[in-house]
Each structure stands twice: as C-alpha cells, then as structure tokens.
Amino acid sequence: MSKRMDDVEEIVSNLPKPTLVAIVMEFASKHQSVCEGIIMKHSKKESLAENAKAFMKATKSECRYENYNYESARPMVDCMKSLLTKTSMYELLNTVTISAMVLKETFYLIYLYEKEELFELASEAIENIETVIEVLDDNDADKGKILDLVLDILETCTFDYFGDDEASFIEMLIPFCGEREFRARFEKCAKHKSKQYILTKIKERFGEA
C-alpha cells in the first residue's frame, strides 16, 4: 500500500458515519459499476441474480476491451471473480444463473486474450453448473428454470476450448429427458451439435419420443 493510501485509510477510519456515507454516495453516483457493486455485495439473497446482472452490465459499460491489452478487461474479470464468490450450493438457481452469465462473458474474453486466468474463471463457472446438475432433485421447484439456463448455454455457446465439459453437460442432462417438452428441446440441441450417440442413449432409456 502506498503512503498516500495509508493517509487515506487513516483519515477515513476516523470519519463519522454520515460523512463516510456522503463520500461513498458521491463516488457511487459518478461510477455506475461501483453503485451496482455495492448493491451486489450487500443486498438480500432474493435479488442476487438480478443484482449480479446489473453489476456486470454496469461494469461492461465502463470497460473497453482492447485487443492485445488484457488490462483493459480487468474491471470485468474482477467483477466476475467477485460474482462467483457469491454462489452457493444452497441457492441452486442463483448459482446457475450467475455462473451462466460469467461463463458466457468469459468465453468471449478467451477469444480475445486466451489468458490462463480466464480459463480458470470459466472452469470454476462450469464446475458450479455441473455440481448443480448432479445434485438437482426431480422435485426441485426451480428445476425447469435451471434446465432452461443450462440448455441456453449449450444452444448459444461454443465450447471450443472446453469440449469435454460440453459433452459432460450434455450427458448429465439425459436423466431429465423423461419430460416430453425438455426432451424435444434437448434432442434438437444434441442433433444440432451432431451428438448422435446422445440421441441413441435417450431412446435406449426412454423409448421413442
């Protein structure tokens, strides 16, 4: 920490609460990502996913991705790291929602920069989603929403650097194909990705559609 930052810490630690609130409010009013970050980190769990979305949107609006300049993406990388710390296996829907948002943006950044830090971030998001799929109960009230989110990832993302994880996603979704509507959408996705062996496994387990 620099000497100037030491001075700031000393001053701030002795300020009365109303003055601190005024300083934070002024700073947050000038920086939308700071505003959304505060809401994200200190809000109630019920609004976690919506706040995470707003946090990412605000951060991206203040961030300019420049080719060959990875530091230009640093605010978004730090934002997504922060979001993943908010996921919890006690909150399955929030975990998948946040992890899916992070994964999509990380895939995009990997195309630009191919940095190890980004691969680690994507792997963490993928692991979160895989864990949820593994523990997801048939009677979970959010099952439909969670499966929709996972299918949306498969339908909209290209796993160029994570082929094994895409295959893992697809295979783990087979047990949910007992539901007609989900099976139809899932089979369409598998066919599009030329995963014929998946279609065979579904028929072996559940018969003809």
Side-chain angles (χ1 to χ4, degrees):
M1 187 181 292
S2 69
K3 176 64 168 62
R4 298 298 286 172
M5 288 302 295
D6 286 339
D7 292 341
V8 170
E9 182 177 13
E10 182 180 354
I11 293 170
V12 169
S13 63
N14 291 301
L15 290 176
K17 183 176 179 180
T19 304
L20 280 174
V21 171
I23 291 172
V24 172
M25 291 299 293
E26 180 183 4
F27 191 68
S29 70
K30 296 177 181 177
H31 302 275
Q32 186 63 25
S33 60
V34 173
C35 175
E36 297 298 344
I38 291 172
I39 294 172
M40 175 68 224
K41 293 173 184 176
H42 302 286
S43 61
K44 296 179 180 178
K45 287 183 178 180
E46 300 85 67
S47 54
L48 189 62
E50 281 303 311
N51 290 335
K53 183 178 181 180
F55 187 21
M56 281 189 67
K57 183 178 180 180
T59 302
K60 191 166 185 175
S61 71
E62 297 177 2
C63 195
R64 297 291 180 268
Y65 299 158
E66 300 172 9
N67 285 337
Y68 310 112
N69 180 10
Y70 182 50
E71 284 308 303
S72 67
R74 174 55 55 191
M76 180 57 80
V77 174
D78 291 342
C79 166
M80 293 190 293
K81 281 185 176 181
S82 174
L83 291 181
L84 287 182
T85 66
K86 303 291 285 187
T87 60
S88 164
M89 286 305 131
Y90 295 104
E91 298 281 337
L92 299 186
L93 180 57
N94 276 334
T95 292
V96 175
T97 302
I98 292 172
S99 297
M101 288 190 290
V102 169
L103 187 59
K104 289 178 181 181
E105 190 64 24
T106 305
F107 276 175
Y108 174 67
L109 289 177
I110 285 174
Y111 281 117
L112 296 178
Y113 304 108
E114 290 191 40
K115 293 290 185 179
E116 182 63 29
E117 183 179 27
L118 295 174
F119 285 99
E120 292 173 358
L121 198 58
S123 293
E124 184 178 350
I126 288 170
E127 186 176 334
N128 282 347
I129 297 168
E130 287 180 335
T131 301
V132 168
I133 295 173
E134 289 172 353
V135 303
L136 186 59
D137 190 277
D138 250 356
N139 299 316
D140 192 300
D142 293 321
K143 184 182 76 169
K145 294 178 181 177
I146 290 171
L147 293 178
D148 281 345
L149 284 166
V150 178
L151 268 181
D152 183 63
I153 293 170
L154 290 173
E155 290 169 340
T156 60
C157 293
T158 302
F159 286 64
D160 287 350
Y161 298 93
F162 297 88
D164 290 342
D165 290 293
E166 182 182 54
S168 177
F169 270 5
I170 291 175
E171 296 214 33
M172 282 193 294
L173 290 172
I174 290 175
F176 300 104
C177 285
E179 298 178 20
R180 183 177 299 176
E181 289 185 12
F182 177 76
R183 175 174 176 175
R185 185 177 169 193
F186 181 62
E187 287 189 332
K188 184 178 179 181
C189 178
K191 187 175 182 179
H192 172 69
K193 292 181 175 293
S194 301
K195 305 292 184 184
Q196 295 301 316
Y197 74 98
I198 293 294
L199 300 178
T200 301
K201 285 189 175 183
I202 295 173
K203 289 179 182 179
E204 289 175 351
R205 180 161 180 171
F206 297 105
E208 295 291 336

